[in-house]
Amino acid sequence: MGLRERKKAETRAALSWAAIRLTVERGFDRVRVEDIAEAAGVSPRTFNNYFASKGEAIAARHLDRLVRIAAELRRRPPAEPLWEALSQAVLAQWVPGPEVVEHPVTDQAEWAAGLRIMLAEPVLQGEVLRAGAVAEAELAAAVAERTGTDLARDLYPHLVAAAVLAASSTATAHFLRTDPPVPVNRLLTEAFALVAAGLPAPS
């Protein structure tokens, strides 16, 4: 990635994180595009160059994280078992970026409560579903490449991609419902171990 592309990616990430942070703090209807742009240190016009709406800006973080799973899977060692590679590819996306380090979450319980409210917004739910569909297609292609299956004919890569996204979303949803919150990395690791084992019944 060249310098120009990296700067654009950083601006996009900063805008998305600002949109999420402000929405969690204030509520979806109390955040304006101007507020998001100011928090990210850019102009409203720059915001509009990246996103068409607040909802799209919020969902962008989810979309970018999911799409990066496919890219990371392609980088994993070819001999690594598939579900281990997938688990590591997912966990790699939860390393905080510079925008999070600059504006860290200080109260995990309060943050989780705000996220629950934010994610209940119908407009945002539609954006999240669209992001998931895009990411699932990308991940299915990466799985097909890794397993030597045919994306057009075989069910397997699509089923694996859907299972990965389901495990990821279930783990993050469980993070939001636990009190006190359980670290999301621990939940993701457990979710992938259970899926890889065939979801055995609890002992």
Side-chain angles (χ1 to χ4, degrees):
M1 182 184 292
L3 179 60
R4 177 181 171 82
E5 290 74 20
R6 186 161 57 249
K7 292 295 291 183
K8 288 177 69 174
E10 289 171 355
T11 300
R12 175 183 168 88
L15 283 165
S16 184
W17 181 245
I20 293 169
R21 184 167 51 83
L22 293 175
T23 300
V24 167
E25 292 172 357
R26 304 179 188 177
F28 187 80
D29 293 332
R30 295 182 179 179
V31 176
R32 305 171 304 155
V33 165
E34 291 81 2
D35 300 327
I36 299 168
E38 182 180 0
V42 300
S43 68
R45 181 176 179 179
T46 297
F47 176 95
N48 292 326
N49 288 337
Y50 285 86
F51 303 114
S53 66
K54 290 187 299 182
E56 185 180 329
I58 292 169
R61 189 170 188 82
H62 179 63
L63 172 60
D64 293 350
R65 175 183 287 149
L66 294 181
V67 169
R68 286 197 305 266
I69 295 171
E72 180 62 25
L73 179 62
R74 290 184 170 101
R75 287 192 288 266
R76 301 297 304 176
E80 190 174 33
L82 177 62
W83 282 99
E84 175 64 19
L86 286 165
S87 176
Q88 293 304 315
V90 170
L91 288 170
Q93 309 318 314
W94 288 88
V95 176
E99 69 283 354
V100 180
V101 173
E102 186 176 345
H103 300 282
V105 174
T106 54
D107 188 325
Q108 285 288 341
E110 185 177 327
W111 179 256
L115 282 176
R116 283 195 296 270
I117 295 171
M118 181 183 77
L119 293 172
E121 286 289 337
V123 171
L124 185 55
Q125 289 174 347
E127 293 287 353
V128 169
L129 286 173
R130 277 191 284 275
V134 171
E136 187 173 322
E138 290 281 342
L139 184 55
V143 171
E145 292 168 17
R146 190 177 183 90
T147 58
T149 50
D150 189 303
L151 198 60
R153 293 194 309 242
D154 295 328
L155 173 65
Y156 186 78
H158 301 281
L159 187 60
V160 169
V164 168
L165 297 191
S168 300
S169 64
T170 301
T172 52
H174 195 61
F175 162 76
L176 294 177
R177 76 170 66 95
T178 53
D179 185 18
V182 177
V184 71
N185 281 11
R186 186 192 306 172
L187 293 171
L188 287 165
T189 300
E190 181 181 355
F192 277 88
L194 288 170
V195 171
L199 288 178
S203 57

